[in-house]
Amino acid sequence: METSMYSAMRVGIVHFKAFPGLETGVGPLVETLEKICADEFWTAVEVGWMKDYRVRNTARHLLDQSHLSVAYATQPKVLSNKFNLNHFDKGERMKAVEAIKSAVDEARHLGAEVVRLIAGKDPGDEKREEAKKLLIDSLHQILDYAAEEKDGLAFTLKLFDRAIDKKNLIGPAPDGIDIAKAIRPEYPHFGLLSDLSHFPLLDETPEEAVPMLAPYLDAVHLGNCVFRDKSHPAYGDIQPRFGVPGGETDTPEVVTFFRELRKCGFFDKPVRPMVSAEVRPVLAGEISDVILANAKRVIRDAWALSQRPE
């Protein structure tokens, strides 16, 4: 008997990727968010930086009406400003920490239950372990700040590519696990977020990585990437639509990902995890509404197919 995907997960969409141009914290944030809030397919949304306090107020009112679960992603603020939580210069590192503390306040303003974090640039093999220690120290400061409110706000560290595009410290699954092992004992609301689109960029597969990550895996993203052709307009960590020519991910890859997550108990958590599509229009003529419809069809089909015998 087929299990409804809604009984296993909260199906989300990353707002600022679905509607490009919002990453700098300005633009038609409320108008585009309203489209998501009015679409009953989605039961969760991941929002980002909204510079204007009045815009955040309006967005919060909209989100309160919607009955959506809300996550706040720090990537727009971090990447737009080149903040780095593992910077070797203490002053630069503290700038990043203070920026993320401000993001924590923004997340609460928007009614978010979880904050998505991102490590800084990878410094290379020789200095990587030192950078991981600096990242852990920065995360402790941020989580200590968040804990003052005692409202159970959760955090996830997202795993990015290391060699192709973002060139992030975290990174391959083993390095993400190192951070989680260092943080989780003191902060049980801290976990990892894995992105299907990043496995090819990391030269990993769900079959290899998901079992390793499982004890710390609190959320996942569904997305696509292109990395075999550097001349492709979606080359790197761009999150094009599922099935884009030259891409790595379509329905079969999402089916495999769902199966691996199920085997590792990801869908058996006491609170249904967020599983969010992170896709955007990239090629000429593509529009957000159609890319969103593409994602919904892939998620629906992949969930149904993942329950068939292998």
Side-chain angles (χ1 to χ4, degrees), residues 7 70 247 276:
S7 71
V70 181
S276 298

Side-chain angles (χ1 to χ4, degrees), residues 42-60:
W42 309 111
T43 55
V45 64
E46 304 203 11
V47 297
W49 191 21
M50 299 183 189
K51 277 187 178 182
D52 192 306
Y53 185 89
R54 292 164 297 182
V55 171
R56 289 201 301 275
N57 272 343
T58 304
R60 172 61 188 264

Side-chain angles (χ1 to χ4, degrees), residues 122 128 160-164 167-172 175 202:
D122 176 52
R128 186 169 297 133
F160 276 82
D161 75 278
R162 176 171 285 168
I164 303 289
K167 300 181 180 179
N168 201 280
L169 175 66
I170 312 295
D175 291 300
L202 288 162

Side-chain angles (χ1 to χ4, degrees), residues 44-173:
V45 64
E46 304 203 11
V47 297
W49 191 21
M50 299 183 189
K51 277 187 178 182
D52 192 306
Y53 185 89
R54 292 164 297 182
V55 171
R56 289 201 301 275
N57 272 343
T58 304
R60 172 61 188 264
H61 183 61
L62 187 60
L63 290 166
D64 283 346
Q65 296 175 63
S66 73
H67 212 282
L68 286 164
S69 298
V70 181
Y72 179 96
T74 61
Q75 295 97 288
K77 176 173 274 195
V78 169
L79 296 174
S80 295
N81 294 282
K82 298 183 179 179
F83 292 129
N84 184 342
L85 290 173
N86 45 268
H87 203 292
F88 287 104
D89 180 274
K90 185 176 181 180
E92 290 297 317
R93 196 166 67 253
M94 289 304 100
K95 271 173 43 177
V97 169
E98 291 306 311
I100 302 306
K101 287 181 181 179
S102 173
V104 169
D105 295 337
E106 292 172 20
R108 285 198 168 104
H109 188 182
L110 288 164
E113 66 181 63
V114 60
V115 175
R116 311 292 192 211
L117 302 171
I118 170 176
K121 292 288 186 181
D122 176 52
D125 295 344
E126 292 185 5
K127 294 187 174 182
R128 186 169 297 133
E129 292 305 313
E130 183 183 353
K132 285 158 71 173
K133 290 177 183 176
L134 294 174
L135 174 62
I136 290 167
D137 179 71
S138 294
L139 293 175
H140 272 287
Q141 293 182 58
I142 293 162
L143 294 171
D144 282 345
Y145 173 78
E148 292 174 7
E149 288 293 320
K150 302 187 188 309
D151 60 357
L153 185 66
F155 290 82
T156 56
L157 180 66
K158 185 173 180 179
L159 310 182
F160 276 82
D161 75 278
R162 176 171 285 168
I164 303 289
D165 190 337
K166 297 298 189 295
K167 300 181 180 179
N168 201 280
L169 175 66
I170 312 295

